[in-house]
Amino acid sequence: MKQLPTFLLCLFSAVALAQAPVELKWWKPSDSPFAVIDGQAWSGEMRDTIQRFPPRAESMVRKAVWNLSRNSAGLSIRFVSDAPQIIVRYKVTGNAAMPHMPATGVSGVDLYGLDSDGNWHLANGKYSFRDTVQYNFDKLKPNDNYHKLGREYHLFLPLYNSVRDLEIGVPIGSIFTVLPQRLEKPIVVYGTSIAQGACASRPGMAWTNILARKLDRTVINLGFSGNGRLEKEVIDLINEIDAKVFVLDCLPNLIYPIVERKELQKRIIESVKTLRAKHPNTPILLTEHDGYTDSYLMPHRQTLFEDANQDLREAFAQLRNEKVSNIYLLPISEIGIDHEGMVDGTHPNDLGMMRYADAYEKKLREILQQPVGTLKTQIPVRHNREPGSYNWEERHNAILKLNQTEPTKVLMIGNSITHNWGGKPLNNRIKGADAWQKYLEPFQARNFGFGWDRVENVLWRVYHDELDGISPEKIIINIGTNNLHLNTDNEIIQGLKLLAQAIKNQQPKAKITLLGIYPRREQESRIVTLNNGIQALTQSIGVGYADIGKPLLLKTGKIDEKMFSDGLHPNAAGYELLGKELQPILKEN
């Protein structure tokens, strides 16, 4: 018993030591030399300002619209960190909560992390809403199975408040690297309180943010509560954005008597024509009023949204009759929100937000010809499996930039085997430079190979603008070896089928050749069987096939080790052989 006090003293000391505050390093947006607020157009005019319209808009739009534009709805910050603890603190300029929307949605943040295979995970933090709002995300899993260089996080900002003095803190010694705004063209949404985020329980559940994760693409949220009215001044600002799609979802703020019915049709038609004049090929999606779910018991509300939707349909028909191209309609029947998905008969709860996002994802994938399947190989995702070797996103961005400046006649799409071959974008992994220069450079070939890519990763790249702005004559695809340990032969073949169709949709004039998977150590017999299936697939979908890797095998059916560096990746001699085998494909008309 005499030893008990000493034991307790040691225990209390250990607990106190364990609870000692961790020293943090802090980052704020003004610390970055480049634009970091994702979801923000006009970033060159705002630098580190967390708002949605540029300062010059204050003199252009109504005061109510300007004030709402300073809310951070749809804005986010991306960064890479391995920190076990992330603290976010900031001040807001308005009330923390509203009667029908909690403080976590009005004034809170959401932190989502991506694993190295591209899957989203939500981090739940402890929060307090005082003079300074603070979120503490603690005991985070810093690493995964591939590497120890951190994971990508997305911090979604408050939906109904303006943010200032924002800082992110991580323990000293942790990795913390802020990522720049994404280069792919954004989806631009002009809408009402529903688009702004009312009444999501937290920022990540606003339908525009759900959609941004589903499509893994920037969505610019220009929803203005009570003030999404298709005003010329706002349309003129939106017209400055180089968008992938324009979405006009303003009907809930344009019902009679806010505007006369003839005025509603006029605004719809003028808005579409204004956008089309500057963006002749960009799709424009018009959305019907999603309805009032209390209209059965309050029938006067039924007429309001039904009349507005009828006016939209008539305006849409007139635009079609006038040969305005590439316009689309999202009807109320496809949104499908019932009373279980509403807070007050008008604004969606989280269930309603999810249904809204599902409807938009389905419609936008139809418009952009970007279908997904149910198999893992048919769901486009990016990855971060080997950042110690190269930066996947930087290579993707390099291709987008090259497409704007240099023409190409041949695309070589693949994984690390293609990546290591040679050509542009330049990299430090090249093993077959001589063979590339000899056999591929004369045909203006570009290297679309990415180390560790699987079928679904290439599908993501095709869907995220890598085939935009170029007119290749030939597209040669070799992908699937990194799926062998995860997927069945049929799953790989079905993924390749969707991928080939996606490439045909985006480059219908190019001659597409699907290569058999190259031989690899201890997988030789399976690959032979799989390649037979791939060849049958190409015959059924009307694309070319070639098995240029066959000469890498000995007569015994095993790989010729002299052609490989590690049983998978060819050495210089292997690339020389592949280059020779590729010549007939490159030369054919």
Side-chain angles (χ1 to χ4, degrees):
M1 293 295 294
K2 292 181 179 180
Q3 296 178 346
L4 183 58
T6 302
F7 168 75
L8 291 175
L9 179 62
C10 291
L11 178 62
F12 293 151
S13 298
V15 171
L17 183 62
Q19 294 179 342
V22 176
E23 189 174 0
L24 302 176
K25 59 181 179 182
W26 293 92
W27 171 90
K28 54 186 180 295
S30 60
D31 291 338
S32 293
F34 47 80
V36 298
I37 310 298
D38 205 54
Q40 184 184 68
W42 308 284
S43 57
E45 300 178 52
M46 291 190 270
R47 185 66 169 79
D48 58 348
T49 306
I50 302 175
Q51 62 187 50
R52 294 181 287 163
F53 270 164
R56 61 185 164 87
E58 185 174 8
S59 63
M60 299 170 62
V61 301
R62 288 186 298 111
K63 184 177 180 180
V65 175
W66 169 252
N67 289 340
L68 288 163
S69 77
R70 302 185 72 182
N71 294 166
S72 54
L75 303 183
S76 64
I77 296 172
R78 301 188 306 136
F79 58 89
V80 172
S81 182
D82 66 343
Q85 181 184 32
I86 297 172
I87 294 179
V88 182
R89 65 188 185 193
Y90 53 94
K91 295 182 184 297
V92 294
T93 58
N95 294 330
M98 297 190 295
H100 62 333
M101 187 173 175
T104 50
V106 173
S107 305
V109 297
D110 263 341
L111 187 66
Y112 284 79
L114 280 167
D115 62 30
S116 288
D117 289 324
N119 303 303
W120 293 99
H121 304 272
L122 175 66
N124 291 311
K126 295 180 179 179
Y127 47 82
S128 63
F129 292 86
R130 297 188 177 90
D131 289 342
T132 296
V133 181
Q134 181 164 303
Y135 274 70
N136 183 6
F137 303 94
D138 202 4
K139 297 181 175 59
L140 296 168
K141 179 182 178 182
N143 305 311
D144 56 31
N145 297 330
Y146 293 94
H147 59 82
K148 299 184 181 298
L149 296 176
R151 70 175 72 256
E152 180 180 327
Y153 287 97
H154 284 218
L155 180 71
F156 290 97
L157 302 181
L159 299 170
Y160 262 82
N161 233 320
S162 302
V163 173
R164 59 186 179 87
D165 300 334
L166 181 139
E167 293 182 298
I168 302 173
V170 298
I172 288 178
S174 300
I175 295 171
F176 185 85
T177 305
V178 178
L179 300 175
Q181 288 182 334
R182 298 175 68 163
L183 293 186
E184 302 97 0
K185 293 182 180 181
I187 307 293
V188 177
V189 177
Y190 179 22
T192 67
S193 56
I194 299 170
Q196 183 166 341
C199 290
S201 66
R202 51 186 178 82
M205 292 308 296
W207 73 258
T208 55
N209 288 339
I210 298 171
L211 183 67
R213 295 194 301 277
K214 284 176 170 287
L215 298 178
D216 199 9
R217 183 182 287 272
T218 297
V219 175
I220 293 179
N221 182 328
L222 297 177
F224 305 112
S225 186
N227 288 275
R229 300 181 184 177
L230 294 180
E231 293 169 292
K232 180 182 183 301
E233 297 81 4
V234 177
I235 291 292
D236 287 344
L237 282 164
I238 291 172
N239 219 1
E240 298 174 7
I241 305 171
D242 186 13
K244 191 74 172 178
V245 180
F246 291 109
V247 177
L248 303 181
D249 187 356
C250 291
L251 255 60
N253 289 163
L254 290 169
I255 58 174
Y256 181 83
I258 297 174
V259 298
E260 295 289 336
R261 295 185 64 184
K262 288 185 178 179
E263 173 65 17
L264 171 56
Q265 291 194 11
K266 179 183 176 184
R267 290 193 191 189
I268 294 168
I269 291 168
E270 288 181 351
S271 296
V272 170
K273 288 184 175 181
T274 298
L275 293 173
R276 179 56 71 240
K278 189 169 182 180
H279 304 275
N281 301 313
T282 305
I284 301 172
L285 175 59
L286 303 170
T287 306
E288 289 189 2
H289 194 306
D290 65 324
Y292 301 124
T293 55
D294 55 2
S295 58
Y296 174 79
L297 295 175
M298 304 177 72
H300 69 283
R301 304 226 315 150
Q302 181 95 13
T303 304
L304 294 175
F305 74 79
E306 287 183 345
D307 287 349
N309 285 343
Q310 181 61 34
D311 291 337
L312 174 59
R313 294 185 199 112
E314 290 177 5
F316 183 77
Q318 180 179 330
L319 289 163
R320 282 283 186 88
N321 289 336
E322 294 179 12
K323 308 300 182 185
V324 178
S325 63
N326 218 4
I327 60 172
Y328 302 87
L329 186 70
L330 178 61
I332 183 174
S333 59
E334 293 182 18
I335 299 172
I337 299 180
D338 59 20
H339 62 275
E340 303 292 359
M342 287 288 193
V343 171
D344 53 6
T346 301
H347 298 97
N349 56 25
D350 288 355
L351 175 60
M353 288 289 183
M354 185 60 73
R355 289 177 178 169
Y356 228 94
D358 287 343
Y360 268 108
E361 181 192 16
K362 181 179 179 182
K363 180 60 69 173
L364 289 169
R365 288 197 181 281
E366 290 173 2
I367 292 170
L368 297 172
Q369 293 186 296
Q370 295 183 356
V372 298
T374 57
L375 301 174
K376 186 71 174 175
T377 54
Q378 298 173 321
I379 301 173
V381 291
R382 54 201 166 100
H383 75 83
N384 187 35
R385 299 188 188 106
E386 51 175 343
S389 175
Y390 80 106
N391 186 302
W392 196 90
E393 183 171 320
E394 286 182 3
R395 184 166 175 82
H396 167 66
N397 289 342
I399 285 177
L400 298 185
K401 292 175 181 177
L402 273 175
N403 288 350
Q404 296 175 359
T405 58
E406 296 185 20
T408 181
K409 292 183 179 179
V410 176
L411 304 185
M412 294 292 295
I413 295 177
N415 47 46
S416 57
I417 300 172
T418 303
H419 189 164
N420 298 354
W421 200 332
K424 293 182 179 181
L426 300 174
N427 65 88
N428 59 1
R429 303 167 52 115
I430 295 175
K431 306 296 181 184
D434 290 344
W436 183 281
Q437 187 69 29
K438 181 177 179 181
Y439 297 111
L440 288 151
E441 198 64 35
F443 295 94
Q444 287 185 250
R446 184 161 300 159
N447 190 326
F448 276 47
F450 283 59
W452 254 118
D453 259 18
R454 299 174 185 150
V455 175
E456 58 268 28
N457 305 133
V458 176
L459 186 63
W460 186 97
R461 296 197 280 118
V462 170
Y463 284 175
H464 285 75
D465 305 357
E466 285 194 11
L467 300 185
D468 290 3
I470 53 176
S471 301
E473 297 172 2
K474 296 181 176 66
I475 299 177
I476 300 168
I477 310 161
N478 175 262
I479 196 69
T481 196
N482 291 323
N483 292 88
L484 291 173
H485 67 294
L486 295 170
N487 305 109
T488 66
D489 288 4
N490 181 63
E491 289 170 340
I492 294 171
I493 289 169
Q494 293 306 313
L496 290 171
K497 181 178 181 180
L498 183 62
L499 174 62
Q501 187 59 56
I503 293 173
K504 286 176 71 174
N505 288 340
Q506 296 204 27
Q507 290 288 341
K509 295 181 180 180
K511 182 177 179 59
I512 299 170
T513 301
L514 198 55
L515 299 181
I517 295 175
Y518 300 139
R520 59 185 294 177
R521 185 188 298 148
E522 298 179 358
Q523 295 275 2
E524 293 95 339
S525 61
R526 181 186 174 186
I527 289 173
V528 169
T529 302
L530 177 55
N531 283 348
N532 288 336
I534 294 172
Q535 184 175 17
L537 166 68
T538 60
Q539 293 170 350
S540 69
I541 62 175
V543 301
Y545 174 79
D547 190 1
I548 67 171
K550 259 187 180 180
L552 297 172
L553 292 170
L554 299 171
K555 291 182 180 180
T556 61
K558 298 296 182 181
I559 64 167
D560 184 348
E561 297 282 357
K562 296 192 301 294
M563 298 292 171
F564 291 84
S565 61
D566 56 4
L568 169 63
H569 298 92
N571 55 24
Y575 281 117
E576 173 74 17
L577 189 151
L578 291 174
K580 288 180 180 177
E581 292 293 315
L582 198 58
Q583 286 301 286
I585 299 170
L586 297 172
K587 290 179 178 179
E588 66 185 9
N589 295 324

